[in-house]
Amino acid sequence: MSKLLPYLTAAILFTGLPCTTHAQDNLKPLDFVSEQLSEQMLNKVRALSSPELVKAQAEYFRLMYTALIESGFSKDEALKIVIAMVEGD
């Protein structure tokens, strides 16, 4: 019991203390994170919007669609598979 006394005392003392953190202080890190995430998303959209990349992706998905049909999938099945691939990006 004597080993637990300091821990029990600390628990009793600290549970009665009011919290000094304000809600506004808690929002500051979230604002920073939100700003950083927004900037990253904007940069990603800019990078993915390059005409060369868009054309390469279109050619890739067209080749995938054709290969799926040649492998025995119906046109509808191939289209659904390619749509799922696009949505997975």
Side-chain angles (χ1 to χ4, degrees), residues 23-39:
Q24 292 175 347
D25 292 338
N26 288 337
L27 293 179
K28 288 179 185 176
L30 293 177
D31 290 341
F32 174 76
V33 171
S34 296
E35 289 174 13
Q36 293 297 312
L37 183 58
S38 295
E39 188 174 335

Side-chain angles (χ1 to χ4, degrees), residues 7-26:
Y7 299 111
L8 291 174
T9 305
I12 292 168
L13 289 175
F14 290 118
T15 55
L17 294 176
C19 183
T20 59
T21 312
H22 298 290
Q24 292 175 347
D25 292 338
N26 288 337

Side-chain angles (χ1 to χ4, degrees), residues 39-56:
E39 188 174 335
Q40 287 176 359
M41 291 173 71
L42 184 59
N43 289 335
K44 180 179 178 181
V45 168
R46 286 180 183 149
L48 294 176
S49 298
S50 74
E52 298 86 14
L53 183 57
V54 171
K55 184 177 178 184

